[in-house]
Amino acid sequence: MLNKQWTGLLTATLLYTNVSATVWAQGDIDLTPSSPQRNVILIIGDGMDDQQITIARNYLVGANGRLLLDELPMRGAVQILAIEDKLGGKPVYVSDSANTATSIATGEITSRGRISTRAGDNQIFPTIAEIAQQRGFRTGLVSTASVTDATPAAFAAHMSARLCQSPDLMQEVFYSDVFMGDCAQETKAQGGPGSISEQLAESKLDVILGGGSQYFMPLTEGSTSSTVLETARAAGFTTVASAAELADVASVNRLLGLFSPDTMPVRLRGENGRKAESPEASWLNSIHRYLGDVTQPAAMVCEANPDFSGMPSLSEMTDAALHILDREESPGFFLMIESASIDKQSHYRKPCGSIGELEQLNEALASALAFAASHPNTLVLVTADHSQAAQLVPIDSLFRSFPIPIFTPGKLARIETPEGSLMAINYATNNFSAEEHTGANVPIFGNQEAIGRVPTFLSQPEIFEVMRDYLRLD
Amino acid sequence: MLNKQWTGLLTATLLYTNVSATVWAQGDIDLTPSSPQRNVILIIGDGMDDQQITIARNYLVGANGRLLLDELPMRGAVQILAIEDKLGGKPVYVSDSANTATSIATGEITSRGRISTRAGDNQIFPTIAEIAQQRGFRTGLVSTASVTDATPAAFAAHMSARLCQSPDLMQEVFYSDVFMGDCAQETKAQGGPGSISEQLAESKLDVILGGGSQYFMPLTEGSTSSTVLETARAAGFTTVASAAELADVASVNRLLGLFSPDTMPVRLRGENGRKAESPEASWLNSIHRYLGDVTQPAAMVCEANPDFSGMPSLSEMTDAALHILDREESPGFFLMIESASIDKQSHYRKPCGSIGELEQLNEALASALAFAASHPNTLVLVTADHSQAAQLVPIDSLFRSFPIPIFTPGKLARIETPEGSLMAINYATNNFSAEEHTGANVPIFGNQEAIGRVPTFLSQPEIFEVMRDYLRLD
């Protein structure tokens, strides 16, 4: 293995020496033969903990099968860190996608809901994408969520609250009449950076692909005629809005693709849209838990989600992004790719949805690895931002010998797998309409380039450091 | 690091060449200088998934801290495999400690509850310990459970059902009047191997340390005067029954230590013995889930469990086992060490108990690594057998902006951590008096010897193969 690695490095050095000598002579970049173009492809599976991975593996390739993820040569674990929303705040043991993406993007620990700003005083943390841009690297963000959602936002925007996704959401945000927060002090009029969609439109990003067109429809703050989308076009973004347009797009310099109003529809769903349901105990069971019986939710298959039709897949978006980011004249690129709805479908107790989005992540990984195979100085990392509610539980209780009804107090889905078994998935973190995240450390995977660069255990801020060091941004 | 590794190997080779030339010339063992004594120390954290590890890390060393586990240079993931109880049975996605220990010990996949026997026809699978014994290796089992419990049993016994732990349990086992199974066909009278404790007493093991003295009290089958313990003594085991006796034991050849009637008491417990409890919703909330309020279980600290007093720690048992197993005249040893009650305390919804037993595992790992530091050809592996019910959930719900009572439908413990934060742990796999296991793949860790030998993703049967190959038992 060592020999292979060294052969690869040697090949890469030989291949890239000419390019670096002719192109990079212009700048202040290291010209030694060991410094050709360098790229980082960071793939984030939102909420993709080991429960989610195992559930998807069992369904997609069988319990004895292996996902492409499983074949990667480097694997470790990442500790998730958050603090209270004040300077020097104490640890908070369960995170959200905003503070975790902030840590990965900036190397800093912050509080839940924040987009690359400091807990307590809202100081702006520079992101890996912004630092790379300053050194001439090209940068891109791809997500199946709205591109203004927490994970992509934290790589290119700064905001005290993740909800402030568009100019109209900077004042007060309500959900079912409940006040959710505001970013009134962060409008441009107040000297702030403006909403997340405005920050993206005015960013130096070269590629932005995902959902969230609704956040680009309002007028840009201070303008009486230009929507945020038009502001992005004026800044040089070519825009596309469908898989067909994405497939036909020429080799443009900058691309903004928004394929749905908000989160993109997912690939798979439960039979007839079913999700996890409550087991139904008989009347007698309400008298005493040892009495009566229980009817578990009926088994179901996963099926194609009709709403996914016409959407570009995550791997199609990845291929398009790689095509645009890879330019001879640049020192390399940083690309973040998020499969967002592993998490979102788990909040909604929809295991088939999560499975399909984990499949999408694996396909995007295949695209990334294919690119890396022909571009050897490409670090490919795959990780999750936090763990999630779903638990793979027994179809038959460990305690089934006892003649009493045993069932989860939460919601349960029983899925027929292609290998002919039943798989039970439990959601029971709360009684609300959306589940909670959980706090377990999450996996990290890497290609050959990650070996020796990514330790077997690290914190999320250290992922930033690995990427920064790989791109030599110090 | 590479240099260190090579220096270590070189040192080892120099140190061991003389020994191997003089001792191994008797047998058919490889005499090349690269083949000195070889040892495997396998540490199993029962139920030690990433939720359990993160909960323990947060409590024991803080969210920014690192457990000794985290410092190991090799980390991967292990897929858990089980099948229905018939030949060619379909996959079962959640396992128990019996079938998983069978896979690790024998390289074979079986059904839940089985001790190193084949699903469907009860064929005996040879274990790594038995194969190693045939080649002259010394072997030992250490557990905080009864040594007849599933995990240790699967390394040295063979039985259709894990419950058949002693001669009196071979016929019919009842629990609260519920028939749990029998092993009537596996008595010696029926031509079988006899109960698990009898198999251990008559085994070739050199060290057996843990709980379970009650299973050695019945008369050995067919004897009118000899208990199983006496049978063990007659077979050459020195026996001890307390930490003091263990500390004082001479360098005996074979040692059986039984320190409690069944599972050994654990180190930590919740304040005044408390465990996870149900949140208490107000009366109004029973009318509609949006109404009323909820009282979460009161926060608590973890405290020393008084019942642990006088027990040897897992690391003390490990040190004793290593002292007895390490003999110049043997080609090496195989030692399995189990921290059993990470799992058992999680079944009982006692997070402090699990935390303390994970601490014990870390201390045993320190003992193993100290041994390996002076015995370079020692492969140290740490893994879990299956994942468990506990989930680290938010202290403040992600959805706390909504003015409705949000709480888990299961049981919750809120623990004050030494770094001054609160940590919430949820148990909600079922409504029974003991939680279910879960099905996620589990971590595996290894010392420097594991690098290049243990892939980043493997199945439990492949752990057997790694150990077999390391000890050159092919």
Side-chain angles (χ1 to χ4, degrees):
Chain A
M1 256 165 63
L2 205 66
N3 282 340
K4 264 193 196 168
Q5 188 179 3
W6 282 105
T7 311
L9 280 173
L10 193 64
T11 312
T13 307
L14 292 172
L15 279 173
Y16 280 82
T17 303
N18 287 340
V19 176
S20 63
T22 53
V23 178
W24 291 3
Q26 322 292 320
D28 57 355
I29 292 158
D30 184 1
L31 283 173
T32 58
S34 62
S35 286
Q37 276 188 322
R38 298 178 83 79
N39 311 307
V40 166
I41 304 175
L42 170 66
I43 303 177
I44 297 179
D46 204 305
M48 186 181 70
D49 61 20
D50 282 284
Q51 295 277 353
Q52 297 283 354
I53 292 170
T54 310
I55 291 165
R57 181 188 303 115
N58 289 343
Y59 187 87
L60 296 170
V61 294
N64 289 282
R66 299 195 174 202
L67 298 168
L68 184 56
L69 269 183
D70 298 322
E71 307 284 359
L72 285 173
M74 183 267 146
R75 184 169 174 134
V78 186
Q79 171 77 336
I80 312 303
L81 297 169
I83 55 171
E84 299 166 308
D85 191 23
K86 60 184 181 189
L87 288 170
K90 288 180 187 166
V92 169
Y93 299 118
V94 184
S95 290
D96 86 324
S97 295
N99 78 269
T100 58
T102 296
S103 286
I104 298 172
T106 74
E108 303 283 356
I109 302 166
T110 192
S111 58
R112 295 193 297 183
R114 285 193 168 274
I115 302 296
S116 292
T117 55
R118 185 156 72 182
D121 69 357
N122 214 29
Q123 179 186 301
I124 281 175
F125 294 138
T127 76
I128 182 90
E130 292 162 344
I131 299 167
Q133 288 157 7
Q134 286 165 6
R135 309 296 177 93
F137 284 79
R138 290 172 68 76
T139 56
L141 303 177
V142 172
S143 178
T144 55
S146 166
V147 296
T148 58
D149 199 22
T151 305
F155 286 85
H158 307 273
M159 191 65 62
S160 64
R162 57 185 288 179
L163 291 159
C164 305
Q165 299 180 73
S166 51
D168 55 319
L169 296 175
M170 294 298 283
Q171 295 303 323
E172 291 187 328
V173 181
F174 288 88
Y175 184 89
S176 299
D177 294 338
V178 178
F179 175 66
M180 305 298 291
D182 71 61
C183 307
Q185 300 308 309
E186 290 153 89
T187 59
K188 292 175 183 174
Q190 295 290 331
S195 71
I196 292 170
S197 65
E198 293 169 286
Q199 291 187 55
L200 294 179
E202 294 160 8
S203 74
K204 292 193 168 66
L205 289 166
D206 301 293
V207 178
I208 307 173
L209 298 175
S213 57
Q214 72 181 54
Y215 302 106
F216 290 76
M217 293 299 106
L219 290 176
T220 295
E221 184 191 343
S223 169
T224 55
S225 60
S226 175
T227 65
V228 181
L229 190 67
E230 287 160 346
T231 298
R233 284 192 191 118
F237 279 107
T238 298
T239 61
V240 292
S242 71
E245 285 181 20
L246 181 68
D248 288 346
V249 78
S251 189
V252 297
N253 195 41
R254 303 181 77 198
L255 181 64
L256 170 60
L258 300 171
F259 305 102
S260 63
D262 202 338
T263 304
M264 292 172 70
V266 298
R267 174 181 284 180
L268 290 183
R269 66 174 198 178
E271 204 169 341
N272 300 314
R274 284 177 60 204
K275 55 185 193 170
E277 298 145 5
S278 292
E280 292 196 12
S282 64
W283 176 83
L284 257 180
N285 186 256
S286 67
I287 306 295
H288 192 282
R289 67 186 182 90
Y290 284 6
L291 302 175
D293 49 45
V294 64
T295 305
Q296 302 285 359
M300 62 174 166
V301 296
C302 297
E303 63 184 23
N305 176 16
D307 296 340
F308 185 70
S309 170
M311 287 292 135
S313 69
L314 188 59
S315 67
E316 286 166 347
M317 293 197 287
T318 299
D319 287 336
L322 290 169
H323 183 63
I324 290 170
L325 290 175
D326 182 32
R327 290 286 183 272
E328 279 199 0
E329 66 275 16
S330 103
F333 65 78
F334 169 80
L335 171 61
M336 192 287 297
I337 301 158
E338 184 200 22
S339 184
S341 290
I342 300 168
D343 169 81
K344 292 178 193 298
Q345 295 285 296
S346 194
H347 278 302
Y348 297 142
R349 303 171 178 129
K350 294 182 170 178
C352 291
S354 294
I355 290 168
E357 299 313 286
L358 210 143
E359 184 179 40
Q360 288 227 62
L361 180 140
N362 255 272
E363 293 170 359
L365 172 60
S367 291
L369 293 177
F371 180 89
S374 57
H375 298 75
N377 291 301
T378 300
L379 173 65
V380 179
L381 296 178
V382 186
T383 190
D385 54 351
H386 56 74
S387 52
Q388 250 288 7
Q391 286 182 305
L392 176 48
V393 292
I395 280 287
D396 294 317
S397 169
L398 278 175
F399 312 103
R400 63 198 177 282
S401 302
F402 293 84
I404 63 176
I406 298 177
F407 54 93
T408 175
K411 314 285 187 192
L412 190 77
R414 302 199 306 154
I415 298 176
E416 294 174 18
T417 65
E419 59 187 337
S421 289
L422 279 179
M423 177 165 64
I425 296 140
N426 177 44
Y427 299 85
T429 60
N430 71 22
N431 63 337
F432 191 58
S433 48
E435 293 283 329
E436 308 287 348
H437 298 160
T438 63
N441 53 221
V442 294
I444 184 167
F445 310 83
N447 67 349
Q448 197 71 26
E449 290 293 289
I451 295 175
R453 292 191 171 93
V454 182
T456 53
F457 181 76
L458 69 171
S459 67
Q460 279 186 325
E462 290 172 307
I463 298 177
F464 164 83
E465 292 170 15
V466 167
M467 299 189 298
R468 181 197 60 195
D469 293 349
Y470 190 81
L471 295 180
R472 300 176 179 167
L473 299 178
D474 263 337
Chain B
M1 256 162 67
L2 206 66
N3 283 339
K4 264 194 195 166
Q5 187 181 6
W6 283 107
T7 311
L9 280 173
L10 194 64
T11 311
T13 307
L14 291 172
L15 279 173
Y16 280 83
T17 304
N18 287 338
V19 176
S20 63
T22 52
V23 178
W24 292 3
Q26 322 295 320
D28 56 354
I29 293 159
D30 184 0
L31 282 173
T32 58
S34 61
S35 288
Q37 275 188 324
R38 299 178 82 78
N39 311 308
V40 167
I41 303 175
L42 169 66
I43 302 177
I44 298 179
D46 204 305
M48 188 182 68
D49 61 20
D50 282 282
Q51 296 278 354
Q52 298 282 354
I53 292 170
T54 310
I55 290 165
R57 181 189 302 117
N58 290 343
Y59 187 88
L60 296 170
V61 294
N64 289 282
R66 301 197 171 201
L67 299 167
L68 184 57
L69 268 184
D70 298 323
E71 308 283 359
L72 285 173
M74 183 268 144
R75 184 169 172 133
V78 186
Q79 172 76 336
I80 311 304
L81 297 168
I83 56 171
E84 300 165 307
D85 191 23
K86 59 185 182 189
L87 288 171
K90 287 181 188 166
V92 169
Y93 299 119
V94 183
S95 289
D96 86 323
S97 296
N99 78 268
T100 58
T102 295
S103 286
I104 297 172
T106 73
E108 303 283 353
I109 302 166
T110 192
S111 57
R112 294 193 297 182
R114 284 192 168 275
I115 302 295
S116 292
T117 55
R118 186 156 74 182
D121 70 357
N122 214 28
Q123 181 187 300
I124 282 175
F125 294 139
T127 77
I128 182 91
E130 292 163 343
I131 298 166
Q133 287 157 6
Q134 286 165 6
R135 308 297 177 91
F137 285 78
R138 289 172 69 77
T139 56
L141 303 177
V142 171
S143 177
T144 55
S146 167
V147 297
T148 57
D149 199 23
T151 304
F155 286 84
H158 306 273
M159 191 65 62
S160 64
R162 59 185 286 178
L163 291 159
C164 305
Q165 297 179 75
S166 53
D168 54 320
L169 296 175
M170 294 298 284
Q171 294 303 322
E172 290 188 328
V173 182
F174 289 87
Y175 184 89
S176 298
D177 293 337
V178 178
F179 175 64
M180 305 298 291
D182 71 62
C183 307
Q185 300 308 308
E186 290 153 88
T187 59
K188 293 175 183 174
Q190 294 292 330
S195 70
I196 292 171
S197 65
E198 292 169 288
Q199 291 186 55
L200 294 178
E202 294 161 7
S203 73
K204 293 193 167 65
L205 289 166
D206 301 293
V207 177
I208 307 173
L209 298 175
S213 58
Q214 72 181 57
Y215 303 107
F216 290 75
M217 292 299 105
L219 291 176
T220 296
E221 185 192 342
S223 168
T224 53
S225 59
S226 174
T227 65
V228 181
L229 190 68
E230 287 161 346
T231 298
R233 284 192 191 118
F237 279 106
T238 298
T239 60
V240 292
S242 70
E245 285 179 22
L246 181 67
D248 290 343
V249 77
S251 189
V252 298
N253 195 43
R254 303 180 77 197
L255 181 65
L256 170 61
L258 300 171
F259 305 103
S260 63
D262 202 338
T263 303
M264 292 171 70
V266 298
R267 173 182 285 181
L268 290 183
R269 67 175 198 178
E271 205 169 338
N272 300 316
R274 285 177 59 205
K275 54 185 195 170
E277 297 146 6
S278 292
E280 291 196 13
S282 64
W283 176 82
L284 258 180
N285 186 256
S286 67
I287 307 295
H288 191 282
R289 70 187 179 91
Y290 284 8
L291 302 175
D293 49 44
V294 65
T295 304
Q296 301 286 359
M300 63 174 166
V301 296
C302 297
E303 62 184 25
N305 176 16
D307 296 341
F308 184 69
S309 169
M311 287 291 137
S313 70
L314 189 57
S315 67
E316 287 166 347
M317 292 196 289
T318 298
D319 288 335
L322 289 168
H323 183 64
I324 290 170
L325 290 175
D326 183 32
R327 290 285 183 273
E328 279 198 359
E329 65 275 17
S330 104
F333 65 78
F334 169 80
L335 171 62
M336 193 287 298
I337 301 158
E338 183 199 22
S339 183
S341 290
I342 301 168
D343 169 84
K344 293 178 193 297
Q345 294 286 295
S346 194
H347 278 302
Y348 296 141
R349 304 173 178 126
K350 295 182 172 180
C352 292
S354 294
I355 290 168
E357 298 315 286
L358 211 142
E359 184 179 42
Q360 288 227 61
L361 180 140
N362 255 272
E363 293 169 1
L365 172 59
S367 292
L369 293 177
F371 181 89
S374 57
H375 299 76
N377 293 301
T378 300
L379 173 65
V380 179
L381 295 178
V382 186
T383 190
D385 53 352
H386 55 74
S387 52
Q388 249 287 9
Q391 287 182 304
L392 176 49
V393 293
I395 280 287
D396 294 316
S397 169
L398 277 177
F399 313 103
R400 61 198 178 282
S401 303
F402 293 84
I404 62 177
I406 298 178
F407 54 92
T408 176
K411 314 285 188 193
L412 190 78
R414 302 199 306 154
I415 297 176
E416 294 173 19
T417 66
E419 59 186 339
S421 290
L422 279 179
M423 177 164 65
I425 296 139
N426 177 45
Y427 300 85
T429 60
N430 70 23
N431 63 337
F432 190 59
S433 48
E435 294 282 329
E436 308 287 346
H437 299 163
T438 63
N441 53 223
V442 294
I444 185 167
F445 310 83
N447 68 347
Q448 197 71 25
E449 291 293 288
I451 294 176
R453 292 190 169 95
V454 182
T456 54
F457 181 77
L458 68 170
S459 67
Q460 279 184 326
E462 289 172 308
I463 297 176
F464 165 83
E465 293 169 16
V466 166
M467 299 189 298
R468 180 197 60 195
D469 293 350
Y470 190 82
L471 295 179
R472 300 178 178 165
L473 300 178
D474 262 338

